[in-house]
Amino acid sequence: MAEVILRDLVKTYPGGKNRATDEVSLDVGDGEFMVLLGPSGCGKTTLLRMIAGLELPDAGQVVIGGRDVTYAEPRRRNLSMVFQSYAVFPNKKVRDNIAFGLRMRGVAADEVRRKVDWAADLLQLTPYLDRYPAKLSGGQRQRVAVARAIVMDADVLLMDEPLSNLDALLRLSFRAELKKLVGELGTTTIYVTHDQVEALSLGDRVAVMRDGRIVQCDGPTAVYDEPASEFVGGFLGSPPMNFLTGTVEASDGGPKLDLGGQSLSVPAALSSYAGKTLKLGIRPEAIEVAGGDGALSGELQVLEPLGSSALLTTEVCGQTVKVSAPSTFRADPGGRLSLRLPTDACRWYDPETSLLLEVR
């Protein structure tokens, strides 16, 4: 096991106008499951490849287990990697696929057999050891790739979107298997994905990337509940966080956010922003369809039954607001709804910087 330390990593591809990674720094603890999350092109796979030694940085440092391996060959880093494609040898049986790396290292035959049997049992591959990959399902082939990685006793396990080629139901079941497996192994793991559900369900911490930088790194709950910027709030969540733009106004009863025809009471701490424009962020599931003091009036535009819930698309003062309601909710498009936005669920953002304001 090993700690991974990244310091100010920069990578610019020839002819590129922007940096693939822009002075990225990150500490991954020994035995931690770290997820790199972000949209395509944000630099997460480039970062993973620099950790693996498959790409060399233009500047910065990679330290694994206390050793500076910034420019070391991949084989000198004691890493295992699982790729997006299964990358299994079609002409080798499952047993030989799993054993390939061990044999390349010259490990004794008895030890190879023991480790292959151990990994196959752990990943429920024992009945398939004598089959060729063509006779396996996609999920089974991905398990072969994971088994081949874990038998190497590597200090760090790297995974580059290993579930993206699986169908939705298979991803769901394999995700649970993977989380259990990594927990049992206790191996330091760095996992790349663009899938927010994978990130939130798997990671001990989630590093959200954008344009080559890490914009927030925290526990899954903190990243979801306290997005550090509008980008993070809008990227995580399905549907994502709502953002309402308004002007803070002073009043005898305390400050209010004027949305252009309707107003909403806001924390007293926002009094200093009187006369300024702010953005209110709130998750769809935090909004209550209920009347009473402080409720906003909105027009229902679309109702989408989703089985376990109903997604409402409403319009409030010309701004779209998504609401997650109980599956039993019934209403006709065009009707008026009363929406309550609990103060403790509201987050406040500076519209110029898009960054979270520390307001309670």
Side-chain angles (χ1 to χ4, degrees):
M1 313 308 168
E3 181 183 28
V4 178
I5 300 173
L6 311 179
R7 286 291 176 266
D8 302 321
L9 284 180
V10 174
K11 180 66 178 181
T12 304
Y13 290 109
K17 296 181 180 179
N18 300 313
R19 292 176 170 181
T21 59
D22 190 3
E23 299 184 0
V24 172
S25 294
L26 181 67
D27 290 359
V28 183
D30 186 4
E32 183 176 18
F33 195 128
M34 173 67 73
V35 176
L36 303 179
L37 173 68
S40 297
C42 70
K44 55 189 185 296
T45 294
T46 299
L47 188 61
L48 194 77
R49 289 174 63 84
M50 285 193 286
I51 297 170
L54 302 176
E55 301 275 0
L56 296 180
D58 299 324
Q61 187 180 37
V62 179
V63 178
I64 298 175
R67 292 190 305 124
D68 186 339
V69 298
T70 308
Y71 300 105
E73 296 177 353
R75 64 191 180 92
R76 304 288 185 190
R77 302 188 183 208
N78 195 25
L79 307 171
S80 288
M81 191 163 182
V82 180
F83 297 92
Q84 179 176 348
S85 59
Y86 312 126
V88 294
F89 299 106
N91 62 329
K92 295 181 183 294
K93 294 181 179 180
V94 168
R95 183 188 307 278
D96 298 320
N97 264 285
I98 298 173
F100 180 79
L102 296 171
R103 288 173 178 161
M104 290 294 290
R105 282 188 179 180
V107 176
D110 287 347
E111 181 67 5
V112 170
R113 191 178 305 110
R114 184 189 68 80
K115 286 193 171 184
V116 169
D117 289 343
W118 165 78
D121 180 63
L122 199 61
L123 286 156
Q124 302 175 28
L125 290 169
T126 302
Y128 313 109
L129 284 174
D130 292 316
R131 290 189 187 182
Y132 287 98
K135 300 295 184 180
L136 303 178
S137 68
Q140 290 166 342
R141 273 178 275 182
Q142 195 59 284
R143 284 205 292 270
V144 173
V146 173
R148 184 175 58 195
I150 66 174
V151 295
M152 301 303 293
D153 291 331
D155 291 331
V156 180
L157 179 60
L158 306 178
M159 296 189 174
D160 188 6
E161 305 206 46
L163 308 186
S164 62
N165 287 335
L166 306 181
D167 63 53
L169 288 177
L170 198 51
R171 273 203 308 272
L172 183 64
S173 61
F174 195 81
R175 191 171 71 223
E177 292 175 13
L178 185 61
K179 183 165 187 174
K180 179 182 177 183
L181 171 67
V182 173
E184 291 174 354
L185 294 174
T187 305
T188 304
T189 303
I190 303 176
Y191 185 104
V192 162
T193 184
H194 64 273
D195 188 314
Q196 53 175 297
V197 176
E198 282 181 26
L200 296 174
S201 63
L202 289 173
D204 295 325
R205 283 192 296 156
V206 178
V208 184
M209 295 190 66
R210 183 188 191 190
D211 297 335
R213 290 178 175 270
I214 293 176
V215 294
Q216 186 172 4
C217 183
D218 211 328
T221 301
V223 171
Y224 186 81
D225 289 343
E226 301 281 344
S229 65
E230 286 184 55
F231 168 77
V232 178
F235 187 74
L236 270 78
S238 181
M241 177 175 270
N242 294 294
F243 293 99
L244 291 169
T245 302
T247 303
V248 178
E249 295 185 342
S251 70
D252 294 339
K256 295 183 179 296
L257 186 71
D258 181 10
L259 299 172
Q262 299 187 62
S263 62
L264 184 72
S265 295
V266 300
L270 288 175
S271 296
S272 59
Y273 290 90
K276 296 182 179 179
T277 300
L278 288 184
K279 281 194 174 183
L280 180 162
I282 187 167
R283 294 288 181 190
E285 64 271 20
I287 300 175
E288 302 169 8
V289 183
D293 294 340
L296 297 175
S297 176
E299 179 183 322
L300 178 62
Q301 296 180 321
V302 180
L303 189 155
E304 301 173 69
L306 302 178
S308 59
S309 63
L311 179 61
L312 316 181
T313 299
T314 66
E315 183 181 287
V316 177
C317 299
Q319 302 185 63
T320 298
V321 179
K322 300 281 189 178
V323 181
S324 183
S327 59
T328 54
F329 181 85
R330 295 290 182 272
D332 294 323
R336 304 297 297 183
L337 300 177
S338 293
L339 307 177
R340 292 190 66 253
L341 282 59
T343 303
D344 60 355
C346 295
R347 305 292 178 260
W348 303 93
Y349 295 86
D350 185 324
E352 293 184 2
T353 65
S354 296
L355 298 180
L356 178 69
L357 301 174
E358 294 298 327
V359 176
R360 285 291 181 271

